Amino acid sequence: NAGVTQTPKFQVLKTGQSMTLQCAQDMNHEYMSWYRQDPGMGLRLIHYSVGAGITDQGEVPNGYNVSRSTTEDFPLRLLSAAPSQTSVYFCASSRGTNQYGYTFGSGTRLTVV
Amino acid sequence: DQQVKQNSPSLSVQEGRISILNCDYTNSMFDYFLWYKKYPAEGPTFLISISSIKDKNEDGRFTVFLNKSAKHLSLHIVPSQPGDSAVYFCAAPRMDSSYKLIFGSGTRLLVRP
């Protein structure tokens, strides 16, 4: 049981490049989210999904796209990378009830130069 | 307004003593609160939660207290161990969308041997 798997762990992009951060979970969780963590700001929600085929925006969605074609996978696409997107990105999944919280992946550290 | 605030960026305690991490929130309608622990280069892991109908929840060395009148919660770790050294985030599900978590900015705990 792998939990939430994120790839890659590290990535360096040039401004204007695009890329996809991968996220997969094997717990059959309905809810999946993408967060970014920046110093002194905690974790901020980028996009989330409540099931296959259903996605919506979080607090900081600009510059990112998501899709959810299967229960297991929730990729995050950076359309045209900017230095402001330098951050650590976490994918998370949940069975959907508050008291259990979310299970997080180990993160992707992205640097945009 | 839905915010969760951790006003102490860091805390240092001696091994064996009590660690108290604090969190304030702005909206009395929050339903649940959660604490996450994060080690460097790892994703956050769920630690403990508390429902707004309770004022205390205990799990081993970890106890969370909720003071609704003060809109304040705290995480107590007794006794503190060096392995507890990590960043601790408090979080609450948004009232309009319970699977969206709002995170505080985190408190870095150092437990000195």
Side-chain angles (χ1 to χ4, degrees):
Chain A
N1 189 344
V4 178
T5 302
Q6 288 184 239
T7 55
K9 292 192 181 302
F10 302 94
Q11 183 71 48
V12 178
L13 285 180
K14 293 183 179 178
T15 297
Q17 287 185 316
S18 62
M19 78 159 294
T20 300
L21 280 62
Q22 301 292 344
C23 175
Q25 54 96 2
D26 61 359
M27 298 171 285
N28 203 32
H29 284 169
E30 285 184 72
Y31 300 101
M32 296 187 75
S33 300
W34 277 101
Y35 287 85
R36 59 178 287 175
Q37 184 193 6
D38 300 294
M41 301 190 72
L43 287 88
R44 293 181 293 168
L45 180 64
I46 305 171
H47 284 286
Y48 67 95
S49 168
V50 300
I54 306 170
T55 63
D56 207 343
Q57 297 180 349
E59 301 172 65
V60 289
N62 292 340
Y64 307 95
N65 270 358
V66 291
S67 59
R68 183 107 179 263
S69 55
T70 67
T71 300
E72 294 79 20
D73 299 300
F74 191 43
L76 177 72
R77 295 182 192 84
L78 278 71
L79 309 171
S80 177
S84 61
Q85 294 178 303
T86 294
S87 187
V88 182
Y89 291 85
F90 291 101
C91 178
S93 72
S94 169
R95 70 177 81 173
T97 50
N98 291 338
Q99 64 265 39
Y100 298 109
Y102 272 85
T103 300
F104 283 82
S106 57
T108 295
R109 183 174 293 275
L110 175 69
T111 302
V112 182
V113 297
Chain B
D1 184 27
Q2 300 185 56
Q3 293 186 60
V4 175
K5 299 177 183 178
Q6 294 175 262
N7 295 316
S8 299
S10 63
L11 175 68
S12 179
V13 300
Q14 194 74 37
E15 180 179 5
R17 305 293 290 272
I18 184 171
S19 296
I20 300 176
L21 296 98
N22 295 306
C23 182
D24 297 300
Y25 57 96
T26 57
N27 198 308
S28 59
M29 299 300 290
F30 279 132
D31 224 5
Y32 253 95
F33 300 92
L34 305 97
W35 284 94
Y36 283 83
K37 175 179 181 178
K38 185 185 179 305
Y39 292 118
E42 294 184 12
T45 55
F46 172 70
L47 190 57
I48 191 170
S49 66
I50 187 166
S51 165
S52 59
I53 63 173
K54 296 185 175 181
D55 53 18
K56 176 182 174 181
N57 189 26
E58 197 169 351
D59 184 1
R61 296 185 297 111
F62 301 90
T63 303
V64 57
F65 295 92
L66 178 61
N67 182 334
K68 290 182 280 292
S69 61
K71 297 181 189 170
H72 177 84
L73 64 156
S74 59
L75 174 68
H76 293 213
I77 307 173
V78 184
S80 300
Q81 300 173 353
D84 297 328
S85 297
V87 178
Y88 290 80
F89 293 98
C90 66
R94 288 185 63 92
M95 294 174 298
D96 54 327
S97 179
S98 63
Y99 34 81
K100 295 184 188 178
L101 288 179
I102 303 170
F103 283 85
S105 55
T107 297
R108 183 177 302 277
L109 173 66
L110 173 65
V111 180
R112 306 184 308 274

